Amino acid sequence: MSHEYVLRPFTPEIRLNIDYPRELNEQQLAAVTAPPGPALVIAGAGSGKTRTLTYRVAYLLEQGIPADRILLLTFTNKAAAEMMRRVSDLLGHELRSLWGGTFHSIGARILRLHADTLGYQKDFTILDRDDAKDLIKAGLAEAKIDKKDKQFPKPEVLNEIFSLAANTHRTIEELVEGQFSYLAQFGREIADQQRRYHARKRAANGMDFDDLLALWLKLLQDHEPIRDHYQRRFQFILVDEYQDTNKLQGNLIDLLAAKHHNLTVVGDDAQSIYAWRGANFANILDFPKVYPAARIFKIETNYRSTPEILSVANAAIAANVHQFAKELSPARKSGIKPALVQCHDAGQQAGFIAQRALELREEGTSLSQIAVLYRSHFHALELQLELTRRQIPFSITSGIRFFEQAHIKDATAYLKWVANPRDEVSFKRLVQLMPGIAAKGAEKLWSQISAGIRIPTTEAGQDLVALPSAPASALAGILQKCAKSVPAKSAAAWAQFSATIAQLEDPGTRRSAAKMLRLVMDAGYDDYLQATYDNYERRLDEIQQLAEFAFQFGTVEEFLTQLALLTNVEAEDDPKDASDKIRLSTIHQAKGLEFEVVFVIMLCDGLFPSARSTESADGEEEERRLFYVSITRAKNELYLTYPMIRGGFGAAGMDIYQSPSRFLAEIPKALLNEWKLH
């Protein structure tokens, strides 16, 4: 393998005259000017990863590498656009001949050129998720899968299983045995549906997003002339966020780089946090084994955070065994120590954050530069209530507030209808969860149900529009009387629904929102979650946490009132203040972002790290990486908070004591200011 760069004489348009030593630090410069061959660039948080990649492209161009011989792969359209913009800025003009984009966009580009080799027409359709779902539905109908079987996975879940199988190179049997064990009884049928789905895609001359990678790989593996063409063409390959690549993407990269070995991958093993969606941590960890001649460059100068925050970050990740050892070093001046805040309960934690946010705003920090990060959405329940009470504007990165998620609205719809039989919306939502009942059917059923409840009159004898609350067991009785109007395929679900409503109406249950929610889960809604959502375990956890959260409210009506306030607060925000809101976010959704002030909350064992993650060493290490990511989002101030107890969170609504997160014990006390709020 040659170690000379120059493949053609310099041309004026690529003579950039960049002063690399002046514009890059020593570590960045070493990575940017590395000789040909495989290179692993471990770019720590806030160290200028994008800058390093774009200058590497510019350097290759200056060395005489034709732009169309360079392949730059990223994960998101936003990242691809930003990278290409920066390259253009360095060049002073656009470079259209450079192959740069997301894995999927490059795959689509190549498949358009060679689709006929795989038996497709070049005008193939790229299916979106709805298109894929429709094809899967057709396969279910063809196989005559009984729609009355509420436990058989819905098309959305099947689509997720098929996608994971493609991206992880695992069989349906392997996936069902591991990640989807609750569907083990349907393993053979799911594998059959995968075969039907693939056949229908091919018949429709369609490819889904996973095919853009899987068929690209198949094209290269099965057709030597095409493989040889692209291996020769892409003389230099650069990959962004390499720690997030999955098995399929790793195989693609290795195959494309097999001839020249001029592969530069950039990432941070300490920020690998997506194993749950198929990312293969081994890709970055084993890179030196796959490429024994690889040079390893570490970029450890952090331009984002204060030295005090970086000291905590370095300590937080140190306990991980499987990692590339590195030490983030600061480029900024000293600041204040991060705070470790012990709170009595979640309510006090929420009050502290709200109060400190107001103080920070008074001190000149915009609310939009304050973030509250957490492991799971339900960790922020009390905080959402507190911010709403104080009229402090906030936004949620996911775009969907906790109480607005479908499964939360489904579960609370039971409570709403029992508390208020006038609630037409909640009734229709519930019955449309049943097989065979859609909007029109729900409307007909509502007409019968509402007719069965006495309409009160005013003193003048005029009818009121609203329906009254029904006495205990009245709703269940009316449901039973309407059973004959229900489609045959819905009969079993309707009987279960009637029985559930009867139990919810029981005075002993009706007094407690928590008991009602738990009964909803026990009465079969958990089965619906399993069949409907690929992430059903998370959704189940969230409803269970909502039930425990509900213990703090005296009545069901009080609980529902607070939920209504939380779900409607968005509409009350002044559009002029849209950018000045505290950001609430899971840590996964905050990766890549930065804020002047960060609060990391609910740092209790079983919550962060999550109970499920601590069942394996790999799971705990990924949780520790997640903790590291949360810390490194902070620029100036960092607050690590945890409640000592969770009020009303025991099985009988009793207070339970919580242990501080094991991750906190790994940080030397000298690095933190400890606050105790009582």
Side-chain angles (χ1 to χ4, degrees):
M1 181 176 63
S2 173
H3 285 273
E4 296 180 0
Y5 272 107
V6 179
L7 302 176
R8 68 178 187 183
F10 287 141
T11 55
E13 65 267 24
I14 60 171
R15 192 180 297 279
L16 305 177
N17 297 318
I18 297 173
D19 187 348
Y20 293 96
R22 184 177 66 84
E23 298 188 28
L24 302 168
N25 66 37
E26 186 176 338
Q27 294 174 332
Q28 292 171 337
L29 180 65
V32 165
T33 60
L40 171 61
V41 182
I42 302 296
S47 65
K49 169 180 64 67
T50 303
R51 185 178 184 83
T52 301
L53 265 176
T54 51
Y55 273 79
R56 175 66 173 169
V57 172
Y59 183 78
L60 291 175
L61 293 170
E62 279 202 322
Q63 300 308 303
I65 308 302
D68 62 357
R69 301 303 177 89
I70 299 172
L71 174 63
L72 175 60
L73 292 168
T74 66
F75 267 84
T76 66
N77 291 320
K78 181 179 179 182
E82 174 65 11
M83 206 81 72
M84 298 298 282
R85 182 191 66 78
R86 292 199 189 189
V87 170
S88 297
D89 288 346
L90 283 176
L91 298 177
H93 61 83
E94 286 190 28
L95 195 65
R96 297 185 182 277
S97 55
L98 174 68
W99 282 61
T102 64
F103 280 88
H104 293 89
S105 67
I106 298 297
R109 182 174 176 180
I110 290 174
L111 288 170
R112 288 289 183 202
L113 297 172
H114 306 284
D116 53 347
T117 305
L118 295 172
Y120 287 83
Q121 299 297 314
K122 292 184 179 180
D123 61 351
F124 62 84
T125 298
I126 298 177
L127 308 174
D128 61 23
R129 292 187 71 87
D130 285 340
D131 297 331
K133 186 173 69 173
D134 289 342
L135 281 187
I136 293 171
K137 283 181 179 178
L140 291 170
E142 181 183 57
K144 298 181 180 178
I145 297 293
D146 189 355
K147 292 183 179 180
K148 290 186 287 184
D149 188 346
K150 61 183 178 182
Q151 292 184 328
F152 193 83
K154 296 287 193 297
E156 294 85 351
V157 179
L158 292 173
N159 194 24
E160 185 66 21
I161 294 173
F162 301 161
S163 178
L164 276 173
N167 285 288
T168 61
H169 279 192
R170 295 160 70 189
T171 65
I172 294 296
E173 290 74 15
E174 289 170 336
L175 273 175
V176 169
E177 182 180 345
Q179 200 164 335
F180 297 89
S181 57
Y182 60 90
L183 295 175
Q185 61 179 312
F186 301 117
R188 185 176 299 177
E189 290 90 342
I190 293 172
D192 177 63
Q193 286 303 312
Q194 183 192 42
R195 288 188 289 271
R196 292 174 186 272
Y197 175 55
H198 288 326
R200 284 182 175 276
K201 283 189 296 182
R202 181 173 286 276
N205 193 37
M207 299 182 190
D208 62 23
F209 262 51
D210 299 315
D211 291 328
L212 298 180
L213 303 186
L215 292 178
W216 178 15
L217 180 61
K218 180 177 175 59
L219 181 73
L220 299 179
Q221 289 174 330
D222 296 352
H223 302 279
E224 184 178 356
I226 296 175
R227 177 173 69 248
D228 184 67
H229 168 76
Y230 286 105
Q231 286 177 338
R232 290 180 180 277
R233 173 165 199 149
F234 297 133
Q235 294 174 340
F236 285 83
I237 301 172
L238 297 88
V239 184
D240 188 21
E241 301 285 12
Y242 189 66
Q243 78 280 350
D244 293 334
T245 54
N246 58 38
K247 178 69 173 174
L248 173 54
Q249 291 161 331
N251 289 346
L252 265 170
I253 294 164
D254 292 341
L255 192 56
L256 286 169
K259 187 174 293 294
H260 294 291
H261 297 281
N262 294 326
L263 172 63
T264 299
V265 299
V266 182
D268 183 4
D269 58 295
Q271 297 188 69
S272 179
I273 58 174
Y274 294 113
W276 54 276
R277 70 181 190 194
N280 186 18
F281 183 57
N283 283 353
I284 191 167
L285 202 64
D286 294 343
F287 190 86
K289 298 177 185 177
V290 178
Y291 297 92
R295 292 176 172 84
I296 299 177
F297 300 91
K298 295 180 182 179
I299 305 178
E300 299 168 296
T301 302
N302 176 285
Y303 295 91
R304 176 185 298 156
S305 307
T306 62
E308 289 77 8
I309 292 173
L310 294 184
S311 294
V312 172
N314 288 327
I317 198 65
N320 269 11
V321 174
H322 301 104
Q323 65 169 316
F324 292 100
K326 59 182 169 297
E327 189 86 3
L328 292 178
S329 59
R332 294 184 55 196
K333 294 180 180 179
S334 184
I336 63 173
K337 278 186 182 181
L340 176 60
V341 185
Q342 179 191 103
C343 305
H344 176 68
D345 57 20
Q348 188 178 56
Q349 178 182 248
F352 163 73
I353 294 168
Q355 183 59 37
R356 184 64 189 131
L358 293 175
E359 293 169 356
L360 287 164
R361 185 170 64 178
E362 289 297 315
E363 295 166 9
T365 300
S366 168
L367 291 180
S368 63
Q369 281 300 311
I370 300 173
V372 182
L373 306 181
Y374 36 81
R375 177 64 182 81
S376 300
H377 277 301
F378 66 78
H379 294 174
L381 295 181
E382 291 87 355
L383 180 59
Q384 289 190 44
L385 279 174
E386 185 66 20
L387 294 175
T388 302
R389 288 172 184 146
R390 296 200 186 201
Q391 297 184 321
I392 299 174
F394 65 94
S395 64
I396 296 181
T397 300
S398 67
I400 303 176
R401 298 184 180 226
F402 178 87
F403 301 103
E404 295 170 342
Q405 298 176 97
H407 57 294
I408 299 298
K409 295 186 74 171
D410 289 345
T412 55
Y414 282 93
L415 279 63
K416 289 181 178 179
W417 193 54
V418 170
N420 174 24
R422 299 169 294 210
D423 190 342
E424 175 183 353
V425 172
S426 292
F427 172 81
K428 289 180 176 178
R429 183 182 190 93
L430 293 173
V431 297
Q432 287 185 77
L433 298 177
M434 302 178 195
I437 299 179
K440 289 184 178 179
E443 179 63 40
K444 291 180 181 178
L445 286 167
W446 173 248
S447 296
Q448 293 189 44
I449 293 295
S450 59
I453 302 176
R454 179 178 56 83
I455 298 177
T457 58
T458 63
E459 292 182 0
Q462 296 177 333
D463 286 348
L464 293 176
V465 175
L467 298 172
S469 294
S473 300
L475 292 179
I478 294 170
L479 289 174
Q480 292 168 1
K481 291 178 181 178
C482 295
K484 294 180 180 179
S485 302
V486 174
K489 63 181 66 175
S490 310
W494 187 267
Q496 177 64 66
F497 179 50
S498 301
T500 300
I501 294 299
Q503 291 174 298
L504 292 174
E505 288 183 298
D506 179 84
T509 303
R510 173 68 173 77
R511 287 193 292 268
S512 169
K515 289 182 179 179
M516 293 178 77
L517 285 167
R518 286 176 173 167
L519 192 150
V520 167
M521 298 306 299
D522 293 341
Y525 186 70
D526 55 340
D527 293 333
Y528 172 82
L529 287 177
Q530 284 189 15
T532 308
Y533 301 108
D534 61 278
N535 58 351
Y536 103 93
E537 289 178 331
R538 176 183 68 78
R539 293 175 185 260
L540 179 63
D541 284 344
E542 290 184 345
I543 296 177
Q544 290 172 337
Q545 291 294 325
L546 180 66
E548 294 180 349
F549 171 72
F551 267 115
Q552 68 182 280
F553 298 97
T555 66
V556 173
E557 286 73 18
E558 183 184 345
F559 171 70
L560 294 174
T561 297
Q562 288 300 325
L563 260 60
L565 291 175
L566 286 167
T567 53
N568 283 292
V569 68
E570 186 75 35
E572 298 169 4
D573 292 338
D574 184 345
K576 296 180 181 178
D577 296 331
S579 62
D580 194 27
K581 300 177 181 179
I582 296 176
R583 181 79 64 90
L584 273 55
S585 176
T586 63
I587 301 162
H588 284 103
Q589 292 165 326
K591 184 176 176 290
L593 304 178
E594 60 182 33
F595 303 90
E596 291 183 19
V597 181
V598 168
F599 296 85
V600 185
I601 68 171
M602 287 297 181
L603 283 163
C604 306
D605 253 20
L607 297 178
F608 194 0
S610 68
R612 192 173 294 116
S613 70
T614 56
E615 295 173 359
S616 69
D618 288 346
E620 185 170 323
E621 288 214 347
E622 176 145 332
E623 289 287 291
R624 191 175 284 108
R625 294 194 292 270
L626 194 61
F627 184 43
Y628 172 84
V629 167
S630 71
I631 293 170
T632 54
R633 300 310 94 200
K635 296 164 67 175
N636 301 331
E637 295 186 34
L638 173 67
Y639 297 86
L640 307 175
T641 73
Y642 65 96
M644 290 298 294
I645 68 169
R646 299 210 76 181
F649 269 65
M654 303 293 290
D655 293 349
I656 60 172
Y657 286 89
Q658 301 186 128
S659 298
S661 172
R662 64 192 67 186
F663 298 154
L664 296 175
E666 296 168 355
I667 301 173
K669 290 186 177 181
L671 300 181
L672 299 166
N673 278 327
E674 294 193 53
W675 299 2
K676 294 185 179 181
L677 308 179
H678 294 294

